Amino acid sequence: MAQKNELNGAELMDLFTAAIDNAMHLMEAAQELVASKNAPQYTSLGLGELALEELGKSYTCLAYYSNRRQLDWKLFWKEWRNHELKAHRAFFYEFFCLLRAEVQADDRNDYFPSYREKIPLEKEATFYVDIDRESRKIHLPIKEITTKECYYRLASLIGPMNAALKVKRLIETNKEDVYITAFSDYAFSTLTTSMYQQDVLTVLAAMKTGDETYDRALNDIAVLFTPQKQ
């Protein structure tokens, strides 16, 4: 019998789907806000960062699906609460699809992929007034978050969101456990090995087992990653 801190396969997939759906809702809300002339545009930055974290959570659920019976669940829940890890993990969807959008900006700093030292600080800067106790300067989100920063975060969401939605659609269309397991094994390998995007097709080819459903899933990932070459 599963312990209360463990999730079964169906629960992980339900969380995977729900996190992607919520990320999409947050992104849409952020887009509406930044384009509005009446609403507080700066709040779109924090909503976009939250969307990024939700995508990261969905990737975690997908990656751990096939390893759930051997999983260190303490690690899972630690990662589930780690805002910085979740935000960065969203970009692992680029191992499924190369589509991305970036804003060209001359004022970029060393904190890529954010304007701030850590991505979750975007959320804090958006929703909280604060004070620097040394300079005595008060941080006012409405004055200090630029529209450019908001648009940059939204642009950075396009690639991961596109990939997540396509992965979700493939899994919903092919609900066999073996098919989902192949997607999960691949996602897990991106987290646990020193993979680069140029290695993707080689890794997918090496993962094939001879099982028709498993290999079909890997072929679907290859098509998603390089549609023009298939």
Side-chain angles (χ1 to χ4, degrees), residues 61-204:
C61 291
L62 177 64
Y64 291 160
Y65 174 86
S66 60
N67 294 276
R68 61 189 181 276
R69 294 181 181 87
Q70 297 81 37
L71 186 62
D72 179 352
W73 285 97
K74 289 183 178 179
L75 173 64
F76 176 90
W77 294 115
K78 181 179 180 181
E79 293 181 350
W80 191 259
R81 294 187 294 270
N82 187 324
H83 300 289
E84 186 174 6
L85 181 145
K86 290 183 289 186
H88 283 277
R89 189 162 284 180
F91 294 106
F92 275 80
Y93 274 111
E94 292 182 358
F95 282 104
F96 281 91
C97 183
L98 287 170
L99 174 70
R100 68 175 70 178
E102 292 185 3
V103 175
Q104 297 299 317
D106 295 331
D107 59 346
R108 294 309 309 280
N109 53 35
D110 296 331
Y111 300 141
F112 181 84
S114 176
Y115 277 90
R116 300 177 187 276
E117 186 175 1
K118 296 180 179 180
I119 296 177
L121 292 178
E122 296 176 2
K123 178 176 53 185
E124 295 181 23
T126 298
F127 298 122
Y128 300 108
V129 167
D130 205 349
I131 186 169
D132 186 316
R133 283 175 285 180
E134 291 186 8
S135 69
R136 320 310 288 181
K137 179 182 177 181
I138 295 178
H139 168 78
L140 298 173
I142 196 170
K143 290 185 177 181
E144 298 185 31
I145 294 177
T146 66
T147 302
K148 177 189 285 188
E149 186 178 7
C150 296
Y151 273 116
Y152 176 79
R153 177 50 60 219
L154 289 173
S156 75
L157 275 165
I158 291 174
M161 182 66 72
N162 170 73
L165 290 172
K166 289 183 176 180
V167 170
K168 174 174 171 280
R169 190 175 303 117
L170 283 167
I171 288 175
E172 289 176 340
T173 304
N174 304 272
K175 297 183 178 180
E176 305 101 312
D177 177 70
V178 174
Y179 188 94
I180 301 172
T181 295
F183 270 73
S184 178
D185 286 345
Y186 172 69
F188 187 76
S189 72
T190 68
L191 297 182
T192 57
T193 63
S194 299
M195 272 183 64
Y196 297 94
Q197 289 177 330
Q198 58 264 36
D199 302 325
V200 166
L201 296 181
T202 301
V203 169
L204 289 170

